[in-house]
Amino acid sequence: MSTAGNAADIWWVGLAWTAAATVVAALLVRLLWLVQDKAVARLRAWLVLLRRKQGHAAIVSTYVDHANSGVQWVVTALSWGLIVLVIDLWASFVLQQFSWTRSWGLRSFDWLMDVLGQFFSATLGAVPGLLTALLIFGLARLVSQAQCLLLERVERGEVRLGWLDKDTAGPTRRLAQVVVWLFALAMAYPYLPGSNSEAFKGLSVLAGLMLSLGASSVVGQAMSGLSLMYSRALRVGEYVKIGDTEGTVTQVGLFATRVQTGMGEEVILPNSVVFGQPVRNFSRLVEDGQFVLHTAVTIGYSTPWRQVHAMLLEAASRTPGVAAVPAPYVIQSALSDFYVEYRLCAQGNNNAPRRRAEALSALHANVQDVFNENGVQIMSPHYLADPPAPQVVPAGPWAPQRGEALQPPAQRGQRGASVGL
């Protein structure tokens, strides 16, 4: 009777301890959920405050949404890990309260202690390697900052090096950063935790294989970009013509070149395309930010060539922005079957419009006005006989004489105004 009573008492004691452990475990789980919500809210508020302090141009502003998601994921993972630990401890404690389940509880507790012991042992064993890796990365950061400061001064023109100029200082700085960090990663790799495991080695081989198979075009673009930079074929601010694209170079990057045309557009050209075709540079042989202006007209043999030269030079002198020094000149670039090709060559001075298209448009307008004033038609004659009258625009509102103001165009509804094409 006493034995049965003792067993009953032990049973009720076990149930009491189980109930108490359940309440404590439930409270701990609830507390962990509350701490998770508070931690996520605090971290998000800190990110918002950091974005306000650094402005919208900071990198935090760009990736704040991703940072919020990452913070929530990390905090949730930690919370679930602690909850699983609480549940395991609760199960081990409850199983040990009863005689027929005590062995299971002991084994469960021993297993948990063994796992935690291995985890902390591995963590403590990885500390020296992590410290060594951090030291290597710290030294790499110092070297990277030192070379950046030097090459940025070269890029601004404050320091001159015989083997490096302003145009190649920027790409050299970026390449040096990549080399320094790759070298640091190669040195720190053996000290990283798990670097000697088969899984880590297999993942490294897979990543290298994917990079070698998928990055061939990227490497080709990068090599073309480096060739353009170090050959100095293009410089920022120069006016060039690449294929059918003509405009001012605004950026020579590692993978693409940006060109702003005079038509309100920006063209992005892959460096392999730029590297594979001829480039006409209208700014390389001139100084002080000037650029070359040239246009061609074809005039019949019946017009004296000296008169054509004089008219083209007169048009250049009327165009604002055309440099007087060096003086514009005219060359006869071709003697065709029916006409002579004349090419006017000039340079735009510092007062010229920023876009070469505007300067050429003004020059073309003055060429038309001067030829009309002198009664010379701009027409390539493919003919059997001369027309009875020169094909020029008569003097009037559309072709004012020198010194006259241009009349406004005819308004809708006016009678007696006609335009012939």
Side-chain angles (χ1 to χ4, degrees), residues 54-229:
Q54 296 189 1
H56 293 284
I59 189 171
V60 176
S61 301
T62 306
Y63 298 103
V64 66
D65 295 333
H66 302 285
N68 284 329
S69 301
V71 164
Q72 184 174 3
W73 185 87
V74 171
V75 174
T76 302
L78 290 175
S79 301
W80 273 107
L82 293 175
I83 288 172
V84 170
L85 179 61
V86 169
I87 293 175
D88 186 83
L89 290 173
W90 169 83
S92 300
F93 181 81
V94 169
L95 290 174
Q96 293 180 45
Q97 303 309 310
F98 305 97
S99 59
W100 60 86
T101 60
R102 185 170 293 119
S103 60
W104 295 349
L106 291 174
R107 283 198 297 267
S108 175
F109 183 77
D110 293 339
W111 173 82
L112 179 61
M113 291 298 102
D114 184 56
V115 170
L116 292 177
Q118 291 179 3
F119 175 76
F120 286 112
S121 176
T123 302
L124 292 176
V127 168
L130 288 175
L131 292 178
T132 304
L134 289 176
L135 178 61
I136 292 173
F137 288 134
L139 292 175
R141 180 175 175 80
L142 291 177
V143 173
S144 176
Q145 289 180 342
Q147 63 91 14
C148 279
L149 291 176
L150 174 62
L151 294 179
E152 283 176 356
R153 295 187 64 187
V154 176
E155 196 172 359
R156 293 193 298 265
E158 299 175 0
V159 176
R160 292 184 179 181
L161 298 178
W163 52 274
L164 199 64
D165 58 9
K166 296 171 58 176
D167 297 319
T168 56
T172 303
R173 172 173 52 84
R174 292 188 287 269
L175 283 176
Q177 283 184 312
V178 172
V179 170
V180 168
W181 285 107
L182 286 178
F183 187 71
L185 182 61
M187 291 187 63
Y189 177 83
Y191 300 100
L192 296 177
S195 59
N196 294 325
S197 63
E198 297 298 329
F200 202 93
K201 294 178 181 178
L203 183 61
S204 302
V205 172
L206 179 62
L209 182 62
M210 294 175 61
L211 184 64
S212 62
L213 292 178
S216 58
S217 59
V218 176
V219 173
Q221 295 285 358
M223 294 304 297
S224 299
L226 292 175
S227 300
L228 290 175
M229 294 174 186

Side-chain angles (χ1 to χ4, degrees), residues 265-301:
E265 60 186 3
E266 182 181 65
V267 182
I268 301 176
L269 301 171
N271 283 333
S272 60
V273 175
V274 179
F275 193 72
Q277 58 184 331
V279 177
R280 289 188 176 184
N281 196 319
F282 298 98
S283 304
R284 182 60 58 86
L285 301 181
V286 296
E287 299 177 353
D288 298 331
Q290 299 180 1
F291 49 83
V292 175
L293 292 171
H294 58 74
T295 187
V297 294
T298 53
I299 308 298
Y301 285 95

Side-chain angles (χ1 to χ4, degrees), residues 237-251 257-269 282 291 353-360:
E238 292 182 337
Y239 198 94
V240 299
K241 184 174 182 180
I242 306 171
D244 296 331
T245 303
E246 182 176 335
T248 303
V249 178
T250 58
Q251 181 184 4
T257 299
R258 297 176 180 267
V259 177
Q260 287 186 359
T261 67
M263 308 300 174
E265 60 186 3
E266 182 181 65
V267 182
I268 301 176
L269 301 171
F282 298 98
F291 49 83
R354 289 185 59 189
R355 293 178 294 189
R356 184 172 179 269
E358 296 178 1
L360 276 177

